[in-house]
mmCIF file of all heavy atoms in Angstrom:
data_model
loop_
_atom_site.group_PDB
_atom_site.id
_atom_site.type_symbol
_atom_site.label_atom_id
_atom_site.label_comp_id
_atom_site.label_asym_id
_atom_site.label_seq_id
_atom_site.Cartn_x
_atom_site.Cartn_y
_atom_site.Cartn_z
ATOM 1 N N ASN O 669 -111.992 80.215 24.528
ATOM 2 C CA ASN O 669 -112.239 79.124 25.471
ATOM 3 C C ASN O 669 -111.431 77.881 25.119
ATOM 4 O O ASN O 669 -110.944 77.183 25.988
ATOM 5 C CB ASN O 669 -113.731 78.757 25.503
ATOM 6 C CG ASN O 669 -114.559 79.857 26.145
ATOM 7 O OD1 ASN O 669 -114.013 80.679 26.887
ATOM 8 N ND2 ASN O 669 -115.831 79.883 25.850
ATOM 9 N N LEU O 670 -111.341 77.616 23.815
ATOM 10 C CA LEU O 670 -110.594 76.442 23.383
ATOM 11 C C LEU O 670 -109.148 76.532 23.836
ATOM 12 O O LEU O 670 -108.590 75.588 24.359
ATOM 13 C CB LEU O 670 -110.635 76.312 21.843
ATOM 14 C CG LEU O 670 -111.888 75.668 21.243
ATOM 15 C CD1 LEU O 670 -111.863 75.809 19.743
ATOM 16 C CD2 LEU O 670 -111.954 74.201 21.632
ATOM 17 N N TYR O 671 -108.576 77.710 23.643
ATOM 18 C CA TYR O 671 -107.172 77.911 24.005
ATOM 19 C C TYR O 671 -107.000 77.780 25.522
ATOM 20 O O TYR O 671 -106.083 77.150 26.009
ATOM 21 C CB TYR O 671 -106.729 79.297 23.520
ATOM 22 C CG TYR O 671 -105.253 79.539 23.674
ATOM 23 C CD1 TYR O 671 -104.346 78.834 22.880
ATOM 24 C CD2 TYR O 671 -104.772 80.452 24.607
ATOM 25 C CE1 TYR O 671 -102.997 79.055 23.008
ATOM 26 C CE2 TYR O 671 -103.417 80.672 24.740
ATOM 27 C CZ TYR O 671 -102.514 79.977 23.925
ATOM 28 O OH TYR O 671 -101.179 80.198 24.060
ATOM 29 N N ALA O 672 -107.924 78.376 26.244
ATOM 30 C CA ALA O 672 -107.870 78.327 27.711
ATOM 31 C C ALA O 672 -108.010 76.895 28.199
ATOM 32 O O ALA O 672 -107.288 76.451 29.082
ATOM 33 C CB ALA O 672 -108.967 79.204 28.295
ATOM 34 N N SER O 673 -108.949 76.167 27.579
ATOM 35 C CA SER O 673 -109.192 74.800 28.026
ATOM 36 C C SER O 673 -107.979 73.916 27.771
ATOM 37 O O SER O 673 -107.641 73.071 28.574
ATOM 38 C CB SER O 673 -110.430 74.206 27.338
ATOM 39 O OG SER O 673 -110.217 74.139 25.946
ATOM 40 N N THR O 674 -107.294 74.143 26.633
ATOM 41 C CA THR O 674 -106.108 73.329 26.359
ATOM 42 C C THR O 674 -105.019 73.635 27.381
ATOM 43 O O THR O 674 -104.305 72.750 27.821
ATOM 44 C CB THR O 674 -105.558 73.593 24.932
ATOM 45 O OG1 THR O 674 -105.406 75.004 24.757
ATOM 46 C CG2 THR O 674 -106.453 73.037 23.864
ATOM 47 N N GLU O 675 -104.935 74.898 27.772
ATOM 48 C CA GLU O 675 -103.954 75.262 28.787
ATOM 49 C C GLU O 675 -104.273 74.574 30.113
ATOM 50 O O GLU O 675 -103.405 74.043 30.774
ATOM 51 C CB GLU O 675 -103.970 76.784 29.005
ATOM 52 C CG GLU O 675 -102.979 77.503 28.118
ATOM 53 C CD GLU O 675 -102.795 78.950 28.543
ATOM 54 O OE1 GLU O 675 -103.694 79.493 29.190
ATOM 55 O OE2 GLU O 675 -101.748 79.485 28.200
ATOM 56 N N GLU O 676 -105.559 74.588 30.457
ATOM 57 C CA GLU O 676 -105.985 73.965 31.715
ATOM 58 C C GLU O 676 -105.674 72.475 31.694
ATOM 59 O O GLU O 676 -105.193 71.915 32.663
ATOM 60 C CB GLU O 676 -107.491 74.173 31.931
ATOM 61 C CG GLU O 676 -107.825 75.574 32.428
ATOM 62 C CD GLU O 676 -109.327 75.856 32.414
ATOM 63 O OE1 GLU O 676 -110.082 74.871 32.373
ATOM 64 O OE2 GLU O 676 -109.706 77.012 32.439
ATOM 65 N N ILE O 677 -105.965 71.858 30.550
ATOM 66 C CA ILE O 677 -105.716 70.417 30.432
ATOM 67 C C ILE O 677 -104.234 70.138 30.605
ATOM 68 O O ILE O 677 -103.834 69.226 31.309
ATOM 69 C CB ILE O 677 -106.219 69.883 29.059
ATOM 70 C CG1 ILE O 677 -107.753 69.889 29.038
ATOM 71 C CG2 ILE O 677 -105.696 68.476 28.789
ATOM 72 C CD1 ILE O 677 -108.345 69.834 27.652
ATOM 73 N N ASN O 678 -103.421 70.992 29.950
ATOM 74 C CA ASN O 678 -101.977 70.818 30.077
ATOM 75 C C ASN O 678 -101.527 70.977 31.523
ATOM 76 O O ASN O 678 -100.729 70.210 32.026
ATOM 77 C CB ASN O 678 -101.228 71.840 29.206
ATOM 78 C CG ASN O 678 -101.367 71.509 27.725
ATOM 79 O OD1 ASN O 678 -101.674 70.379 27.382
ATOM 80 N ND2 ASN O 678 -101.157 72.491 26.866
ATOM 81 N N ASN O 679 -102.078 72.001 32.186
ATOM 82 C CA ASN O 679 -101.686 72.252 33.569
ATOM 83 C C ASN O 679 -102.046 71.078 34.468
ATOM 84 O O ASN O 679 -101.248 70.631 35.258
ATOM 85 C CB ASN O 679 -102.374 73.526 34.098
ATOM 86 C CG ASN O 679 -101.787 74.779 33.442
ATOM 87 O OD1 ASN O 679 -100.675 74.725 32.931
ATOM 88 N ND2 ASN O 679 -102.529 75.867 33.448
ATOM 89 N N THR O 680 -103.298 70.616 34.309
ATOM 90 C CA THR O 680 -103.714 69.500 35.160
ATOM 91 C C THR O 680 -102.920 68.259 34.807
ATOM 92 O O THR O 680 -102.599 67.468 35.674
ATOM 93 C CB THR O 680 -105.221 69.208 35.008
ATOM 94 O OG1 THR O 680 -105.511 69.085 33.620
ATOM 95 C CG2 THR O 680 -106.064 70.290 35.632
ATOM 96 N N GLY O 681 -102.606 68.119 33.539
ATOM 97 C CA GLY O 681 -101.814 66.964 33.109
ATOM 98 C C GLY O 681 -100.465 66.950 33.804
ATOM 99 O O GLY O 681 -100.064 65.952 34.367
ATOM 100 N N PHE O 682 -99.789 68.100 33.792
ATOM 101 C CA PHE O 682 -98.493 68.164 34.439
ATOM 102 C C PHE O 682 -98.635 68.011 35.950
ATOM 103 O O PHE O 682 -97.799 67.429 36.599
ATOM 104 C CB PHE O 682 -97.787 69.490 34.111
ATOM 105 C CG PHE O 682 -97.187 69.492 32.734
ATOM 106 C CD1 PHE O 682 -97.677 70.308 31.733
ATOM 107 C CD2 PHE O 682 -96.132 68.643 32.447
ATOM 108 C CE1 PHE O 682 -97.124 70.294 30.466
ATOM 109 C CE2 PHE O 682 -95.567 68.622 31.181
ATOM 110 C CZ PHE O 682 -96.061 69.447 30.191
ATOM 111 N N GLY O 683 -99.747 68.545 36.485
ATOM 112 C CA GLY O 683 -99.997 68.453 37.924
ATOM 113 C C GLY O 683 -100.138 67.013 38.367
ATOM 114 O O GLY O 683 -99.684 66.631 39.416
ATOM 115 N N ARG O 684 -100.767 66.200 37.517
ATOM 116 C CA ARG O 684 -101.012 64.810 37.901
ATOM 117 C C ARG O 684 -99.756 63.956 37.826
ATOM 118 O O ARG O 684 -99.646 62.971 38.505
ATOM 119 C CB ARG O 684 -102.081 64.194 36.980
ATOM 120 C CG ARG O 684 -103.480 64.631 37.364
ATOM 121 C CD ARG O 684 -104.506 64.069 36.411
ATOM 122 N NE ARG O 684 -105.793 64.721 36.594
ATOM 123 C CZ ARG O 684 -106.707 64.833 35.661
ATOM 124 N NH1 ARG O 684 -106.465 64.370 34.455
ATOM 125 N NH2 ARG O 684 -107.862 65.419 35.906
ATOM 126 N N ILE O 685 -98.836 64.364 36.980
ATOM 127 C CA ILE O 685 -97.635 63.553 36.808
ATOM 128 C C ILE O 685 -96.831 63.497 38.106
ATOM 129 O O ILE O 685 -96.313 62.471 38.461
ATOM 130 C CB ILE O 685 -96.751 64.118 35.662
ATOM 131 C CG1 ILE O 685 -97.419 63.813 34.318
ATOM 132 C CG2 ILE O 685 -95.347 63.495 35.688
ATOM 133 C CD1 ILE O 685 -96.864 64.601 33.162
ATOM 134 N N PHE O 686 -96.770 64.614 38.842
ATOM 135 C CA PHE O 686 -95.923 64.658 40.024
ATOM 136 C C PHE O 686 -96.460 63.848 41.201
ATOM 137 O O PHE O 686 -95.729 63.090 41.788
ATOM 138 C CB PHE O 686 -95.643 66.119 40.430
ATOM 139 C CG PHE O 686 -94.828 66.841 39.397
ATOM 140 C CD1 PHE O 686 -95.400 67.789 38.568
ATOM 141 C CD2 PHE O 686 -93.491 66.529 39.226
ATOM 142 C CE1 PHE O 686 -94.651 68.436 37.607
ATOM 143 C CE2 PHE O 686 -92.731 67.169 38.264
ATOM 144 C CZ PHE O 686 -93.305 68.122 37.455
ATOM 145 N N PRO O 687 -97.775 63.982 41.567
ATOM 146 C CA PRO O 687 -98.233 63.200 42.718
ATOM 147 C C PRO O 687 -98.295 61.707 42.455
ATOM 148 O O PRO O 687 -98.195 60.922 43.355
ATOM 149 C CB PRO O 687 -99.635 63.743 42.999
ATOM 150 C CG PRO O 687 -100.020 64.524 41.814
ATOM 151 C CD PRO O 687 -98.778 64.896 41.072
ATOM 152 N N ALA O 688 -98.457 61.311 41.191
ATOM 153 C CA ALA O 688 -98.629 59.885 40.882
ATOM 154 C C ALA O 688 -97.490 59.022 41.411
ATOM 155 O O ALA O 688 -97.735 58.063 42.108
ATOM 156 C CB ALA O 688 -98.822 59.690 39.390
ATOM 157 N N PRO O 689 -96.202 59.381 41.119
ATOM 158 C CA PRO O 689 -95.149 58.517 41.626
ATOM 159 C C PRO O 689 -95.085 58.459 43.139
ATOM 160 O O PRO O 689 -94.836 57.434 43.710
ATOM 161 C CB PRO O 689 -93.859 59.130 41.070
ATOM 162 C CG PRO O 689 -94.236 60.376 40.355
ATOM 163 C CD PRO O 689 -95.713 60.463 40.293
ATOM 164 N N SER O 690 -95.381 59.604 43.803
ATOM 165 C CA SER O 690 -95.306 59.609 45.262
ATOM 166 C C SER O 690 -96.355 58.682 45.862
ATOM 167 O O SER O 690 -96.093 57.971 46.806
ATOM 168 C CB SER O 690 -95.483 61.030 45.812
ATOM 169 O OG SER O 690 -96.765 61.512 45.488
ATOM 170 N N SER O 691 -97.561 58.653 45.270
ATOM 171 C CA SER O 691 -98.594 57.763 45.805
ATOM 172 C C SER O 691 -98.209 56.310 45.555
ATOM 173 O O SER O 691 -98.442 55.449 46.380
ATOM 174 C CB SER O 691 -99.959 58.059 45.163
ATOM 175 O OG SER O 691 -99.910 57.828 43.772
ATOM 176 N N ASN O 692 -97.578 56.050 44.406
ATOM 177 C CA ASN O 692 -97.115 54.690 44.132
ATOM 178 C C ASN O 692 -96.046 54.274 45.126
ATOM 179 O O ASN O 692 -96.011 53.143 45.577
ATOM 180 C CB ASN O 692 -96.529 54.595 42.708
ATOM 181 C CG ASN O 692 -97.623 54.619 41.648
ATOM 182 O OD1 ASN O 692 -98.772 54.364 41.962
ATOM 183 N ND2 ASN O 692 -97.251 54.924 40.420
ATOM 184 N N ASP O 693 -95.165 55.218 45.455
ATOM 185 C CA ASP O 693 -94.120 54.923 46.426
ATOM 186 C C ASP O 693 -94.724 54.530 47.768
ATOM 187 O O ASP O 693 -94.288 53.595 48.410
ATOM 188 C CB ASP O 693 -93.207 56.150 46.641
ATOM 189 C CG ASP O 693 -92.345 56.407 45.411
ATOM 190 O OD1 ASP O 693 -92.248 55.484 44.585
ATOM 191 O OD2 ASP O 693 -91.795 57.512 45.288
ATOM 192 N N LYS O 694 -95.776 55.278 48.156
ATOM 193 C CA LYS O 694 -96.435 54.980 49.434
ATOM 194 C C LYS O 694 -97.016 53.574 49.410
ATOM 195 O O LYS O 694 -96.890 52.817 50.342
ATOM 196 C CB LYS O 694 -97.554 55.991 49.701
ATOM 197 C CG LYS O 694 -97.058 57.314 50.229
ATOM 198 C CD LYS O 694 -98.209 58.260 50.468
ATOM 199 C CE LYS O 694 -97.715 59.653 50.829
ATOM 200 N NZ LYS O 694 -98.809 60.602 50.911
ATOM 201 N N MET O 695 -97.679 53.252 48.292
ATOM 202 C CA MET O 695 -98.292 51.929 48.186
ATOM 203 C C MET O 695 -97.226 50.840 48.252
ATOM 204 O O MET O 695 -97.407 49.817 48.888
ATOM 205 C CB MET O 695 -99.065 51.804 46.871
ATOM 206 C CG MET O 695 -100.413 52.514 46.909
ATOM 207 S SD MET O 695 -101.144 52.639 45.282
ATOM 208 C CE MET O 695 -101.562 50.920 45.010
ATOM 209 N N GLU O 696 -96.099 51.080 47.590
ATOM 210 C CA GLU O 696 -95.033 50.094 47.583
ATOM 211 C C GLU O 696 -94.457 49.899 48.981
ATOM 212 O O GLU O 696 -94.220 48.780 49.393
ATOM 213 C CB GLU O 696 -93.917 50.527 46.624
ATOM 214 C CG GLU O 696 -94.270 50.234 45.169
ATOM 215 C CD GLU O 696 -93.298 50.868 44.182
ATOM 216 O OE1 GLU O 696 -92.204 51.301 44.609
ATOM 217 O OE2 GLU O 696 -93.649 50.941 43.006
ATOM 218 N N THR O 697 -94.280 50.997 49.703
ATOM 219 C CA THR O 697 -93.721 50.868 51.046
ATOM 220 C C THR O 697 -94.697 50.145 51.970
ATOM 221 O O THR O 697 -94.290 49.339 52.785
ATOM 222 C CB THR O 697 -93.376 52.248 51.656
ATOM 223 O OG1 THR O 697 -94.516 53.099 51.543
ATOM 224 C CG2 THR O 697 -92.204 52.880 50.953
ATOM 225 N N GLU O 698 -95.984 50.415 51.797
ATOM 226 C CA GLU O 698 -96.973 49.721 52.617
ATOM 227 C C GLU O 698 -96.936 48.225 52.328
ATOM 228 O O GLU O 698 -97.012 47.402 53.216
ATOM 229 C CB GLU O 698 -98.383 50.264 52.330
ATOM 230 C CG GLU O 698 -98.675 51.553 53.088
ATOM 231 C CD GLU O 698 -100.031 52.137 52.740
ATOM 232 O OE1 GLU O 698 -100.851 51.400 52.189
ATOM 233 O OE2 GLU O 698 -100.244 53.320 53.014
ATOM 234 N N GLU O 699 -96.843 47.890 51.045
ATOM 235 C CA GLU O 699 -96.802 46.483 50.675
ATOM 236 C C GLU O 699 -95.523 45.827 51.174
ATOM 237 O O GLU O 699 -95.535 44.681 51.579
ATOM 238 C CB GLU O 699 -96.922 46.326 49.155
ATOM 239 C CG GLU O 699 -98.359 46.487 48.669
ATOM 240 C CD GLU O 699 -98.485 46.424 47.160
ATOM 241 O OE1 GLU O 699 -97.509 46.067 46.485
ATOM 242 O OE2 GLU O 699 -99.572 46.738 46.676
ATOM 243 N N GLU O 700 -94.423 46.585 51.163
ATOM 244 C CA GLU O 700 -93.177 46.029 51.668
ATOM 245 C C GLU O 700 -93.276 45.768 53.163
ATOM 246 O O GLU O 700 -92.787 44.764 53.654
ATOM 247 C CB GLU O 700 -92.022 46.999 51.387
ATOM 248 C CG GLU O 700 -91.542 46.918 49.941
ATOM 249 C CD GLU O 700 -90.603 48.054 49.574
ATOM 250 O OE1 GLU O 700 -90.148 48.782 50.492
ATOM 251 O OE2 GLU O 700 -90.339 48.217 48.387
ATOM 252 N N ASP O 701 -93.937 46.675 53.879
ATOM 253 C CA ASP O 701 -94.118 46.492 55.320
ATOM 254 C C ASP O 701 -94.992 45.276 55.594
ATOM 255 O O ASP O 701 -94.710 44.460 56.450
ATOM 256 C CB ASP O 701 -94.768 47.732 55.954
ATOM 257 C CG ASP O 701 -93.815 48.921 55.914
ATOM 258 O OD1 ASP O 701 -92.603 48.709 55.747
ATOM 259 O OD2 ASP O 701 -94.304 50.038 56.065
ATOM 260 N N ASP O 702 -96.052 45.196 54.853
ATOM 261 C CA ASP O 702 -97.016 44.119 55.049
ATOM 262 C C ASP O 702 -96.549 42.815 54.407
ATOM 263 O O ASP O 702 -96.791 41.744 54.919
ATOM 264 C CB ASP O 702 -98.370 44.508 54.440
ATOM 265 C CG ASP O 702 -99.333 44.989 55.522
ATOM 266 O OD1 ASP O 702 -98.978 44.986 56.702
ATOM 267 O OD2 ASP O 702 -100.454 45.321 55.158
ATOM 268 N N GLU O 703 -95.906 42.950 53.262
ATOM 269 C CA GLU O 703 -95.422 41.813 52.485
ATOM 270 C C GLU O 703 -96.553 40.843 52.149
ATOM 271 O O GLU O 703 -96.397 39.630 52.192
ATOM 272 C CB GLU O 703 -94.319 41.081 53.252
ATOM 273 C CG GLU O 703 -93.059 41.904 53.418
ATOM 274 C CD GLU O 703 -91.987 41.207 54.234
ATOM 275 O OE1 GLU O 703 -92.278 40.148 54.801
ATOM 276 O OE2 GLU O 703 -90.887 41.730 54.299
ATOM 277 N N ILE O 704 -97.708 41.375 51.846
ATOM 278 C CA ILE O 704 -98.834 40.508 51.490
ATOM 279 C C ILE O 704 -99.598 41.102 50.321
ATOM 280 O O ILE O 704 -99.663 42.304 50.162
ATOM 281 C CB ILE O 704 -99.828 40.324 52.670
ATOM 282 C CG1 ILE O 704 -100.255 41.695 53.221
ATOM 283 C CG2 ILE O 704 -99.256 39.457 53.741
ATOM 284 C CD1 ILE O 704 -101.626 41.705 53.777
ATOM 285 N N PRO O 705 -100.197 40.243 49.503
ATOM 286 C CA PRO O 705 -101.051 40.755 48.428
ATOM 287 C C PRO O 705 -102.392 41.231 48.974
ATOM 288 O O PRO O 705 -102.763 40.903 50.093
ATOM 289 C CB PRO O 705 -101.236 39.540 47.513
ATOM 290 C CG PRO O 705 -100.951 38.349 48.366
ATOM 291 C CD PRO O 705 -100.021 38.797 49.452
ATOM 292 N N SER O 706 -103.123 41.977 48.186
ATOM 293 C CA SER O 706 -104.373 42.597 48.651
ATOM 294 C C SER O 706 -105.504 41.591 48.859
ATOM 295 O O SER O 706 -106.527 41.923 49.421
ATOM 296 C CB SER O 706 -104.820 43.657 47.640
ATOM 297 O OG SER O 706 -104.978 43.061 46.373
ATOM 298 N N GLU O 707 -105.328 40.338 48.395
ATOM 299 C CA GLU O 707 -106.413 39.357 48.560
ATOM 300 C C GLU O 707 -106.545 38.871 50.002
ATOM 301 O O GLU O 707 -107.477 38.155 50.339
ATOM 302 C CB GLU O 707 -106.185 38.160 47.621
ATOM 303 C CG GLU O 707 -104.974 37.323 47.963
ATOM 304 C CD GLU O 707 -104.393 36.603 46.744
ATOM 305 O OE1 GLU O 707 -103.861 37.271 45.862
ATOM 306 O OE2 GLU O 707 -104.511 35.376 46.715
ATOM 307 N N PHE O 708 -105.581 39.258 50.863
ATOM 308 C CA PHE O 708 -105.652 38.894 52.277
ATOM 309 C C PHE O 708 -105.840 40.148 53.129
ATOM 310 O O PHE O 708 -105.608 41.255 52.663
ATOM 311 C CB PHE O 708 -104.389 38.147 52.707
ATOM 312 C CG PHE O 708 -104.153 36.893 51.908
ATOM 313 C CD1 PHE O 708 -103.090 36.799 51.041
ATOM 314 C CD2 PHE O 708 -105.041 35.832 51.990
ATOM 315 C CE1 PHE O 708 -102.889 35.663 50.280
ATOM 316 C CE2 PHE O 708 -104.854 34.691 51.235
ATOM 317 C CZ PHE O 708 -103.775 34.598 50.380
ATOM 318 N N ILE O 709 -106.222 39.917 54.354
ATOM 319 C CA ILE O 709 -106.507 41.040 55.250
ATOM 320 C C ILE O 709 -105.237 41.863 55.490
ATOM 321 O O ILE O 709 -104.133 41.323 55.524
ATOM 322 C CB ILE O 709 -107.086 40.519 56.597
ATOM 323 C CG1 ILE O 709 -107.731 41.672 57.381
ATOM 324 C CG2 ILE O 709 -106.032 39.790 57.414
ATOM 325 C CD1 ILE O 709 -108.604 41.213 58.518
ATOM 326 N N SER O 710 -105.394 43.165 55.634
ATOM 327 C CA SER O 710 -104.243 44.033 55.898
ATOM 328 C C SER O 710 -103.997 44.108 57.402
ATOM 329 O O SER O 710 -104.883 43.822 58.211
ATOM 330 C CB SER O 710 -104.491 45.433 55.347
ATOM 331 O OG SER O 710 -105.498 46.070 56.107
ATOM 332 N N ARG O 711 -102.791 44.508 57.758
ATOM 333 C CA ARG O 711 -102.451 44.620 59.183
ATOM 334 C C ARG O 711 -103.302 45.687 59.861
ATOM 335 O O ARG O 711 -103.705 45.543 61.005
ATOM 336 C CB ARG O 711 -100.963 44.959 59.316
ATOM 337 C CG ARG O 711 -100.439 44.790 60.738
ATOM 338 C CD ARG O 711 -98.942 44.925 60.788
ATOM 339 N NE ARG O 711 -98.509 46.176 60.194
ATOM 340 C CZ ARG O 711 -97.387 46.319 59.495
ATOM 341 N NH1 ARG O 711 -96.616 45.291 59.285
ATOM 342 N NH2 ARG O 711 -97.036 47.494 59.003
ATOM 343 N N LYS O 712 -103.614 46.752 59.106
ATOM 344 C CA LYS O 712 -104.454 47.830 59.656
ATOM 345 C C LYS O 712 -105.837 47.308 60.038
ATOM 346 O O LYS O 712 -106.362 47.630 61.098
ATOM 347 C CB LYS O 712 -104.593 48.954 58.628
ATOM 348 C CG LYS O 712 -103.355 49.824 58.511
ATOM 349 C CD LYS O 712 -103.558 50.898 57.462
ATOM 350 C CE LYS O 712 -102.275 51.706 57.244
ATOM 351 N NZ LYS O 712 -102.426 52.675 56.153
ATOM 352 N N ASP O 713 -106.427 46.497 59.135
ATOM 353 C CA ASP O 713 -107.763 45.949 59.413
ATOM 354 C C ASP O 713 -107.722 44.990 60.600
ATOM 355 O O ASP O 713 -108.657 44.932 61.405
ATOM 356 C CB ASP O 713 -108.319 45.234 58.180
ATOM 357 C CG ASP O 713 -108.785 46.222 57.112
ATOM 358 O OD1 ASP O 713 -109.029 47.395 57.471
ATOM 359 O OD2 ASP O 713 -108.888 45.834 55.937
ATOM 360 N N LEU O 714 -106.641 44.231 60.697
ATOM 361 C CA LEU O 714 -106.501 43.316 61.839
ATOM 362 C C LEU O 714 -106.459 44.110 63.143
ATOM 363 O O LEU O 714 -107.145 43.771 64.104
ATOM 364 C CB LEU O 714 -105.199 42.513 61.713
ATOM 365 C CG LEU O 714 -105.294 41.127 61.056
ATOM 366 C CD1 LEU O 714 -103.911 40.517 60.938
ATOM 367 C CD2 LEU O 714 -106.207 40.191 61.812
ATOM 368 N N GLU O 715 -105.664 45.167 63.152
ATOM 369 C CA GLU O 715 -105.532 45.984 64.359
ATOM 370 C C GLU O 715 -106.828 46.710 64.698
ATOM 371 O O GLU O 715 -107.199 46.835 65.863
ATOM 372 C CB GLU O 715 -104.403 47.010 64.177
ATOM 373 C CG GLU O 715 -103.025 46.375 64.198
ATOM 374 C CD GLU O 715 -101.924 47.347 63.813
ATOM 375 O OE1 GLU O 715 -102.239 48.519 63.542
ATOM 376 O OE2 GLU O 715 -100.758 46.928 63.784
#
């Protein structure tokens, strides 16, 4: 079980590395579109 669990941890670890940058990219593009910090209302909420 120990060996299996370490493998699983490694797999999930590598799995998480790939989506993380893409989600950051999305957030950055949204912020670039909005050009506002989160302390103010978003364009989506206004609409």
Side-chain angles (χ1 to χ4, degrees):
N669 291 339
L670 278 171
Y671 188 69
S673 63
T674 51
E675 269 192 337
E676 282 170 19
I677 289 161
N678 288 340
N679 289 339
T680 51
F682 282 112
R684 282 177 193 154
I685 287 165
F686 294 106
S690 63
S691 62
N692 286 341
D693 290 344
K694 281 180 187 173
M695 283 168 70
E696 281 170 14
T697 51
E698 278 176 17
E699 282 176 10
E700 281 168 12
D701 292 341
D702 260 358
E703 293 177 352
I704 52 149
S706 57
E707 67 207 68
F708 301 112
I709 195 166
S710 69
R711 193 171 54 215
K712 284 179 185 175
D713 285 340
L714 265 177
E715 288 171 1

